[in-house]
Amino acid sequence: MSLKKATLLIIVILLIDQVSKFYIKTQFALHHRIEVFEWFQILFVENDGMAWGTKLSDIFTGISDRTAKLALTIFRIVAVIGIGYWLVNSVRKKGPNILIIAIALIFAGALGNIIDSVFYGVIFDDSYSQVATFLPEVGYDSIFHGKVVDMLHFPIWQGVLPTWIPFVGGDYFTFFEPVFNVADMAISTGIGMLIVFNKSAFHHEEIATGEKDEGSENTI
């Protein structure tokens, strides 16, 4: 796959991700939900941490929430730069399409959530008990402290777990509990592709490494 096609894929995912987030942010108050099907809901929540709502300050108790948020945003920016380099390098080396598509999906998803983290605190006001305004006089937070907008919820099964299940028996449980967005889907899909199609994705690199090693031996 060419870099042009990979870039087009990234742009399409980013557009879908950001349009859906803008729509939710400007049409829904926080925690407002619409039941599309019994097993699928549009539920507006905001996430200022990592996956599953985890915060760095929960792990490193010595730092404040704001410092942890800033550190997480900067880490995401550095990570997406590294992923971008990986993508360009894989295209340059004519890597397998499955590898390039997977990296492009991860890059697009990471960049989509970075946009939220960097800019949303400035370009929106808060969504508590109201629908947010786009480009208000004062945003809900400063740059680099925005919250990621999530809205896709799939409560496929809800109920009380049997008491015979260790540790969680008798508890009320929802599968699938997390709320996510299009960017999260892109990242998960890309990582899933790398895991499932591992041999196909990295076969080209293994061949190149083997040829390089063989050439070194012949030289010696």
Side-chain angles (χ1 to χ4, degrees):
M1 175 180 279
S2 66
L3 185 60
K4 185 176 181 179
K5 290 181 178 179
T7 302
L8 180 60
L9 175 61
I10 291 169
I11 291 173
V12 169
I13 293 170
L14 276 177
L15 282 175
I16 296 172
D17 178 63
Q18 289 301 309
V19 167
S20 64
K21 289 173 177 176
F22 266 67
Y23 177 80
I24 292 297
K25 190 69 177 168
T26 57
Q27 300 295 322
F28 285 55
L30 196 62
H31 302 307
H32 177 65
R33 76 175 68 213
I34 294 178
E35 185 174 293
V36 182
F37 301 106
E38 186 177 349
W39 48 268
F40 172 51
Q41 300 173 356
I42 303 296
L43 170 60
F44 174 30
V45 299
E46 290 181 313
N47 175 18
D48 58 0
M50 300 181 291
W52 319 109
T54 305
K55 299 179 182 179
L56 282 179
S57 54
D58 295 333
I59 302 172
F60 304 102
T61 56
I63 61 176
S64 67
D65 284 348
R66 292 190 64 78
T67 301
K69 172 63 179 176
L70 179 60
L72 178 61
T73 301
I74 293 174
F75 171 78
R76 283 172 168 165
I77 293 172
V78 173
V80 84
I81 292 173
I83 297 169
Y85 174 78
W86 184 20
L87 174 62
V88 173
N89 192 50
S90 296
V91 172
R92 182 177 60 82
K93 291 183 177 180
K94 302 185 184 301
N97 287 342
I98 193 73
L99 174 64
I100 295 171
I101 291 172
I103 300 173
L105 288 172
I106 296 170
F107 179 86
L111 185 57
N113 284 336
I114 284 175
I115 291 173
D116 298 29
S117 297
V118 174
F119 299 111
Y120 274 31
V122 177
I123 65 175
F124 291 110
D125 55 11
D126 69 71
S127 299
Y128 294 101
S129 302
Q130 67 173 15
V131 174
T133 301
F134 177 55
L135 296 180
E137 292 185 8
V138 180
Y140 68 79
D141 212 323
S142 58
I143 195 166
F144 292 107
H145 287 92
K147 298 178 181 179
V148 177
V149 174
D150 296 321
M151 79 292 290
L152 303 175
H153 188 215
F154 290 85
I156 298 173
W157 183 86
Q158 300 179 76
V160 178
L161 294 173
T163 56
W164 54 264
I165 299 179
F167 305 111
V168 295
D171 294 344
Y172 189 83
F173 180 77
T174 299
F175 180 84
F176 184 69
E177 181 64 27
V179 184
F180 52 97
N181 56 44
V182 174
D184 296 331
M185 290 177 61
I187 294 171
S188 299
T189 301
I191 293 174
M193 290 171 65
L194 292 180
I195 294 173
V196 174
F197 303 106
N198 181 274
K199 290 186 177 180
S200 299
F202 297 104
H203 181 63
H204 179 80
E205 294 184 5
E206 291 174 358
I207 292 176
T209 302
E211 290 177 348
K212 183 177 180 180
D213 293 342
E214 184 178 344
S216 301
E217 291 175 2
N218 291 337
T219 302
I220 294 172

PDB file of all heavy atoms in Angstrom, residues 52-78:
ATOM      1  N   TRP A  52     -10.214   2.475  29.954  1.00  0.00           N
ATOM      2  CA  TRP A  52     -11.087   2.094  31.057  1.00  0.00           C
ATOM      3  C   TRP A  52     -11.218   3.205  32.110  1.00  0.00           C
ATOM      4  O   TRP A  52     -11.617   2.965  33.231  1.00  0.00           O
ATOM      5  CB  TRP A  52     -10.612   0.813  31.743  1.00  0.00           C
ATOM      6  CG  TRP A  52     -10.139  -0.237  30.809  1.00  0.00           C
ATOM      7  CD1 TRP A  52      -8.858  -0.646  30.614  1.00  0.00           C
ATOM      8  CD2 TRP A  52     -10.929  -1.022  29.907  1.00  0.00           C
ATOM      9  NE1 TRP A  52      -8.797  -1.621  29.666  1.00  0.00           N
ATOM     10  CE2 TRP A  52     -10.051  -1.875  29.210  1.00  0.00           C
ATOM     11  CE3 TRP A  52     -12.298  -1.083  29.616  1.00  0.00           C
ATOM     12  CZ2 TRP A  52     -10.481  -2.772  28.249  1.00  0.00           C
ATOM     13  CZ3 TRP A  52     -12.725  -1.987  28.652  1.00  0.00           C
ATOM     14  CH2 TRP A  52     -11.823  -2.812  27.987  1.00  0.00           C
ATOM     15  N   GLY A  53     -10.854   4.441  31.721  1.00  0.00           N
ATOM     16  CA  GLY A  53     -10.994   5.563  32.643  1.00  0.00           C
ATOM     17  C   GLY A  53      -9.887   5.650  33.687  1.00  0.00           C
ATOM     18  O   GLY A  53      -9.948   6.464  34.610  1.00  0.00           O
ATOM     19  N   THR A  54      -8.842   4.833  33.537  1.00  0.00           N
ATOM     20  CA  THR A  54      -7.734   4.862  34.490  1.00  0.00           C
ATOM     21  C   THR A  54      -6.953   6.167  34.355  1.00  0.00           C
ATOM     22  O   THR A  54      -6.767   6.681  33.257  1.00  0.00           O
ATOM     23  CB  THR A  54      -6.779   3.682  34.236  1.00  0.00           C
ATOM     24  OG1 THR A  54      -7.519   2.470  34.274  1.00  0.00           O
ATOM     25  CG2 THR A  54      -5.685   3.635  35.292  1.00  0.00           C
ATOM     26  N   LYS A  55      -6.481   6.704  35.467  1.00  0.00           N
ATOM     27  CA  LYS A  55      -5.692   7.921  35.473  1.00  0.00           C
ATOM     28  C   LYS A  55      -4.272   7.598  35.938  1.00  0.00           C
ATOM     29  O   LYS A  55      -4.060   6.704  36.751  1.00  0.00           O
ATOM     30  CB  LYS A  55      -6.299   8.970  36.410  1.00  0.00           C
ATOM     31  CG  LYS A  55      -7.702   9.417  36.042  1.00  0.00           C
ATOM     32  CD  LYS A  55      -8.201  10.433  37.052  1.00  0.00           C
ATOM     33  CE  LYS A  55      -9.618  10.883  36.750  1.00  0.00           C
ATOM     34  NZ  LYS A  55     -10.111  11.863  37.752  1.00  0.00           N
ATOM     35  N   LEU A  56      -3.302   8.372  35.416  1.00  0.00           N
ATOM     36  CA  LEU A  56      -1.931   8.190  35.886  1.00  0.00           C
ATOM     37  C   LEU A  56      -1.821   8.496  37.377  1.00  0.00           C
ATOM     38  O   LEU A  56      -1.022   7.890  38.087  1.00  0.00           O
ATOM     39  CB  LEU A  56      -0.986   9.123  35.099  1.00  0.00           C
ATOM     40  CG  LEU A  56      -0.585   8.684  33.686  1.00  0.00           C
ATOM     41  CD1 LEU A  56       0.319   9.730  33.061  1.00  0.00           C
ATOM     42  CD2 LEU A  56       0.094   7.327  33.704  1.00  0.00           C
ATOM     43  N   SER A  57      -2.642   9.442  37.846  1.00  0.00           N
ATOM     44  CA  SER A  57      -2.596   9.794  39.266  1.00  0.00           C
ATOM     45  C   SER A  57      -3.112   8.661  40.149  1.00  0.00           C
ATOM     46  O   SER A  57      -2.841   8.623  41.347  1.00  0.00           O
ATOM     47  CB  SER A  57      -3.405  11.071  39.522  1.00  0.00           C
ATOM     48  OG  SER A  57      -4.725  10.945  39.031  1.00  0.00           O
ATOM     49  N   ASP A  58      -3.891   7.719  39.544  1.00  0.00           N
ATOM     50  CA  ASP A  58      -4.319   6.545  40.301  1.00  0.00           C
ATOM     51  C   ASP A  58      -3.158   5.570  40.503  1.00  0.00           C
ATOM     52  O   ASP A  58      -3.123   4.813  41.479  1.00  0.00           O
ATOM     53  CB  ASP A  58      -5.460   5.815  39.576  1.00  0.00           C
ATOM     54  CG  ASP A  58      -6.721   6.659  39.485  1.00  0.00           C
ATOM     55  OD1 ASP A  58      -6.909   7.521  40.365  1.00  0.00           O
ATOM     56  OD2 ASP A  58      -7.501   6.453  38.535  1.00  0.00           O
ATOM     57  N   ILE A  59      -2.222   5.603  39.545  1.00  0.00           N
ATOM     58  CA  ILE A  59      -1.076   4.696  39.597  1.00  0.00           C
ATOM     59  C   ILE A  59       0.074   5.327  40.372  1.00  0.00           C
ATOM     60  O   ILE A  59       0.674   4.705  41.238  1.00  0.00           O
ATOM     61  CB  ILE A  59      -0.621   4.333  38.171  1.00  0.00           C
ATOM     62  CG1 ILE A  59      -1.777   3.682  37.389  1.00  0.00           C
ATOM     63  CG2 ILE A  59       0.588   3.402  38.201  1.00  0.00           C
ATOM     64  CD1 ILE A  59      -1.471   3.460  35.927  1.00  0.00           C
ATOM     65  N   PHE A  60       0.355   6.593  40.039  1.00  0.00           N
ATOM     66  CA  PHE A  60       1.421   7.330  40.723  1.00  0.00           C
ATOM     67  C   PHE A  60       0.766   8.351  41.650  1.00  0.00           C
ATOM     68  O   PHE A  60       0.426   9.462  41.232  1.00  0.00           O
ATOM     69  CB  PHE A  60       2.333   8.022  39.702  1.00  0.00           C
ATOM     70  CG  PHE A  60       2.929   7.084  38.687  1.00  0.00           C
ATOM     71  CD1 PHE A  60       2.405   7.011  37.401  1.00  0.00           C
ATOM     72  CD2 PHE A  60       3.997   6.259  39.017  1.00  0.00           C
ATOM     73  CE1 PHE A  60       2.946   6.147  36.460  1.00  0.00           C
ATOM     74  CE2 PHE A  60       4.541   5.396  38.082  1.00  0.00           C
ATOM     75  CZ  PHE A  60       4.014   5.332  36.812  1.00  0.00           C
ATOM     76  N   THR A  61       0.586   7.967  42.869  1.00  0.00           N
ATOM     77  CA  THR A  61      -0.188   8.784  43.813  1.00  0.00           C
ATOM     78  C   THR A  61       0.496  10.094  44.191  1.00  0.00           C
ATOM     79  O   THR A  61      -0.124  10.974  44.770  1.00  0.00           O
ATOM     80  CB  THR A  61      -0.476   7.982  45.096  1.00  0.00           C
ATOM     81  OG1 THR A  61       0.770   7.517  45.655  1.00  0.00           O
ATOM     82  CG2 THR A  61      -1.359   6.779  44.782  1.00  0.00           C
ATOM     83  N   GLY A  62       1.758  10.260  43.860  1.00  0.00           N
ATOM     84  CA  GLY A  62       2.475  11.469  44.243  1.00  0.00           C
ATOM     85  C   GLY A  62       2.244  12.657  43.334  1.00  0.00           C
ATOM     86  O   GLY A  62       2.724  13.754  43.614  1.00  0.00           O
ATOM     87  N   ILE A  63       1.535  12.454  42.221  1.00  0.00           N
ATOM     88  CA  ILE A  63       1.311  13.561  41.287  1.00  0.00           C
ATOM     89  C   ILE A  63      -0.170  13.917  41.250  1.00  0.00           C
ATOM     90  O   ILE A  63      -1.037  13.092  41.505  1.00  0.00           O
ATOM     91  CB  ILE A  63       1.808  13.201  39.866  1.00  0.00           C
ATOM     92  CG1 ILE A  63       1.055  11.979  39.315  1.00  0.00           C
ATOM     93  CG2 ILE A  63       3.304  12.949  39.869  1.00  0.00           C
ATOM     94  CD1 ILE A  63       1.438  11.639  37.890  1.00  0.00           C
ATOM     95  N   SER A  64      -0.441  15.185  40.915  1.00  0.00           N
ATOM     96  CA  SER A  64      -1.818  15.665  40.866  1.00  0.00           C
ATOM     97  C   SER A  64      -2.503  15.203  39.592  1.00  0.00           C
ATOM     98  O   SER A  64      -1.847  14.785  38.625  1.00  0.00           O
ATOM     99  CB  SER A  64      -1.844  17.194  40.924  1.00  0.00           C
ATOM    100  OG  SER A  64      -1.274  17.745  39.741  1.00  0.00           O
ATOM    101  N   ASP A  65      -3.839  15.292  39.570  1.00  0.00           N
ATOM    102  CA  ASP A  65      -4.606  14.901  38.387  1.00  0.00           C
ATOM    103  C   ASP A  65      -4.213  15.737  37.173  1.00  0.00           C
ATOM    104  O   ASP A  65      -4.108  15.212  36.065  1.00  0.00           O
ATOM    105  CB  ASP A  65      -6.109  15.061  38.654  1.00  0.00           C
ATOM    106  CG  ASP A  65      -6.654  13.953  39.540  1.00  0.00           C
ATOM    107  OD1 ASP A  65      -5.934  12.948  39.749  1.00  0.00           O
ATOM    108  OD2 ASP A  65      -7.793  14.073  40.020  1.00  0.00           O
ATOM    109  N   ARG A  66      -3.998  17.040  37.351  1.00  0.00           N
ATOM    110  CA  ARG A  66      -3.676  17.917  36.234  1.00  0.00           C
ATOM    111  C   ARG A  66      -2.285  17.626  35.676  1.00  0.00           C
ATOM    112  O   ARG A  66      -2.087  17.603  34.459  1.00  0.00           O
ATOM    113  CB  ARG A  66      -3.795  19.381  36.639  1.00  0.00           C
ATOM    114  CG  ARG A  66      -5.235  19.806  36.926  1.00  0.00           C
ATOM    115  CD  ARG A  66      -5.348  21.303  37.096  1.00  0.00           C
ATOM    116  NE  ARG A  66      -5.019  22.040  35.881  1.00  0.00           N
ATOM    117  CZ  ARG A  66      -5.832  22.178  34.847  1.00  0.00           C
ATOM    118  NH1 ARG A  66      -7.030  21.610  34.849  1.00  0.00           N
ATOM    119  NH2 ARG A  66      -5.453  22.872  33.795  1.00  0.00           N
ATOM    120  N   THR A  67      -1.329  17.381  36.560  1.00  0.00           N
ATOM    121  CA  THR A  67       0.011  17.029  36.101  1.00  0.00           C
ATOM    122  C   THR A  67       0.000  15.694  35.376  1.00  0.00           C
ATOM    123  O   THR A  67       0.648  15.521  34.341  1.00  0.00           O
ATOM    124  CB  THR A  67       0.987  16.958  37.293  1.00  0.00           C
ATOM    125  OG1 THR A  67       1.017  18.224  37.961  1.00  0.00           O
ATOM    126  CG2 THR A  67       2.391  16.598  36.833  1.00  0.00           C
ATOM    127  N   ALA A  68      -0.769  14.744  35.907  1.00  0.00           N
ATOM    128  CA  ALA A  68      -0.887  13.429  35.280  1.00  0.00           C
ATOM    129  C   ALA A  68      -1.539  13.542  33.908  1.00  0.00           C
ATOM    130  O   ALA A  68      -1.122  12.881  32.952  1.00  0.00           O
ATOM    131  CB  ALA A  68      -1.701  12.503  36.175  1.00  0.00           C
ATOM    132  N   LYS A  69      -2.560  14.392  33.802  1.00  0.00           N
ATOM    133  CA  LYS A  69      -3.252  14.591  32.529  1.00  0.00           C
ATOM    134  C   LYS A  69      -2.308  15.188  31.490  1.00  0.00           C
ATOM    135  O   LYS A  69      -2.273  14.747  30.334  1.00  0.00           O
ATOM    136  CB  LYS A  69      -4.462  15.503  32.740  1.00  0.00           C
ATOM    137  CG  LYS A  69      -5.166  15.947  31.460  1.00  0.00           C
ATOM    138  CD  LYS A  69      -5.745  14.786  30.695  1.00  0.00           C
ATOM    139  CE  LYS A  69      -6.466  15.261  29.447  1.00  0.00           C
ATOM    140  NZ  LYS A  69      -6.958  14.138  28.620  1.00  0.00           N
ATOM    141  N   LEU A  70      -1.532  16.189  31.890  1.00  0.00           N
ATOM    142  CA  LEU A  70      -0.572  16.821  30.983  1.00  0.00           C
ATOM    143  C   LEU A  70       0.480  15.815  30.541  1.00  0.00           C
ATOM    144  O   LEU A  70       0.819  15.741  29.353  1.00  0.00           O
ATOM    145  CB  LEU A  70       0.086  18.014  31.669  1.00  0.00           C
ATOM    146  CG  LEU A  70       1.146  18.766  30.852  1.00  0.00           C
ATOM    147  CD1 LEU A  70       0.541  19.322  29.574  1.00  0.00           C
ATOM    148  CD2 LEU A  70       1.764  19.882  31.691  1.00  0.00           C
ATOM    149  N   ALA A  71       0.986  15.019  31.484  1.00  0.00           N
ATOM    150  CA  ALA A  71       1.997  14.016  31.161  1.00  0.00           C
ATOM    151  C   ALA A  71       1.446  12.980  30.188  1.00  0.00           C
ATOM    152  O   ALA A  71       2.133  12.562  29.247  1.00  0.00           O
ATOM    153  CB  ALA A  71       2.487  13.333  32.439  1.00  0.00           C
ATOM    154  N   LEU A  72       0.192  12.573  30.400  1.00  0.00           N
ATOM    155  CA  LEU A  72      -0.429  11.589  29.524  1.00  0.00           C
ATOM    156  C   LEU A  72      -0.597  12.142  28.112  1.00  0.00           C
ATOM    157  O   LEU A  72      -0.330  11.442  27.128  1.00  0.00           O
ATOM    158  CB  LEU A  72      -1.791  11.169  30.091  1.00  0.00           C
ATOM    159  CG  LEU A  72      -2.599  10.167  29.253  1.00  0.00           C
ATOM    160  CD1 LEU A  72      -1.819   8.868  29.092  1.00  0.00           C
ATOM    161  CD2 LEU A  72      -3.954   9.905  29.897  1.00  0.00           C
ATOM    162  N   THR A  73      -1.017  13.395  28.003  1.00  0.00           N
ATOM    163  CA  THR A  73      -1.199  14.009  26.691  1.00  0.00           C
ATOM    164  C   THR A  73       0.125  14.117  25.945  1.00  0.00           C
ATOM    165  O   THR A  73       0.211  13.805  24.755  1.00  0.00           O
ATOM    166  CB  THR A  73      -1.831  15.403  26.829  1.00  0.00           C
ATOM    167  OG1 THR A  73      -3.097  15.289  27.480  1.00  0.00           O
ATOM    168  CG2 THR A  73      -2.045  16.045  25.463  1.00  0.00           C
ATOM    169  N   ILE A  74       1.176  14.537  26.651  1.00  0.00           N
ATOM    170  CA  ILE A  74       2.497  14.646  26.025  1.00  0.00           C
ATOM    171  C   ILE A  74       2.997  13.271  25.597  1.00  0.00           C
ATOM    172  O   ILE A  74       3.562  13.110  24.509  1.00  0.00           O
ATOM    173  CB  ILE A  74       3.497  15.308  26.996  1.00  0.00           C
ATOM    174  CG1 ILE A  74       3.097  16.774  27.225  1.00  0.00           C
ATOM    175  CG2 ILE A  74       4.918  15.224  26.455  1.00  0.00           C
ATOM    176  CD1 ILE A  74       3.923  17.479  28.273  1.00  0.00           C
ATOM    177  N   PHE A  75       2.765  12.268  26.436  1.00  0.00           N
ATOM    178  CA  PHE A  75       3.173  10.898  26.085  1.00  0.00           C
ATOM    179  C   PHE A  75       2.447  10.440  24.814  1.00  0.00           C
ATOM    180  O   PHE A  75       3.048   9.811  23.946  1.00  0.00           O
ATOM    181  CB  PHE A  75       2.853   9.947  27.235  1.00  0.00           C
ATOM    182  CG  PHE A  75       3.041   8.496  26.884  1.00  0.00           C
ATOM    183  CD1 PHE A  75       4.310   7.934  26.839  1.00  0.00           C
ATOM    184  CD2 PHE A  75       1.948   7.688  26.566  1.00  0.00           C
ATOM    185  CE1 PHE A  75       4.493   6.603  26.493  1.00  0.00           C
ATOM    186  CE2 PHE A  75       2.120   6.363  26.223  1.00  0.00           C
ATOM    187  CZ  PHE A  75       3.401   5.814  26.184  1.00  0.00           C
ATOM    188  N   ARG A  76       1.151  10.758  24.717  1.00  0.00           N
ATOM    189  CA  ARG A  76       0.381  10.376  23.528  1.00  0.00           C
ATOM    190  C   ARG A  76       0.945  11.034  22.274  1.00  0.00           C
ATOM    191  O   ARG A  76       1.021  10.412  21.212  1.00  0.00           O
ATOM    192  CB  ARG A  76      -1.087  10.775  23.711  1.00  0.00           C
ATOM    193  CG  ARG A  76      -1.883   9.851  24.615  1.00  0.00           C
ATOM    194  CD  ARG A  76      -3.253  10.421  24.903  1.00  0.00           C
ATOM    195  NE  ARG A  76      -4.136   9.437  25.522  1.00  0.00           N
ATOM    196  CZ  ARG A  76      -5.276   9.736  26.122  1.00  0.00           C
ATOM    197  NH1 ARG A  76      -5.672  11.001  26.197  1.00  0.00           N
ATOM    198  NH2 ARG A  76      -6.020   8.783  26.655  1.00  0.00           N
ATOM    199  N   ILE A  77       1.344  12.294  22.394  1.00  0.00           N
ATOM    200  CA  ILE A  77       1.893  13.014  21.243  1.00  0.00           C
ATOM    201  C   ILE A  77       3.203  12.373  20.796  1.00  0.00           C
ATOM    202  O   ILE A  77       3.430  12.145  19.603  1.00  0.00           O
ATOM    203  CB  ILE A  77       2.101  14.502  21.585  1.00  0.00           C
ATOM    204  CG1 ILE A  77       0.748  15.186  21.807  1.00  0.00           C
ATOM    205  CG2 ILE A  77       2.871  15.215  20.472  1.00  0.00           C
ATOM    206  CD1 ILE A  77       0.841  16.604  22.325  1.00  0.00           C
ATOM    207  N   VAL A  78       4.074  12.071  21.758  1.00  0.00           N
ATOM    208  CA  VAL A  78       5.342  11.419  21.435  1.00  0.00           C
ATOM    209  C   VAL A  78       5.091  10.051  20.803  1.00  0.00           C
ATOM    210  O   VAL A  78       5.736   9.666  19.812  1.00  0.00           O
ATOM    211  CB  VAL A  78       6.212  11.264  22.704  1.00  0.00           C
ATOM    212  CG1 VAL A  78       7.457  10.423  22.411  1.00  0.00           C
ATOM    213  CG2 VAL A  78       6.617  12.635  23.240  1.00  0.00           C
TER     214      VAL A  78
END
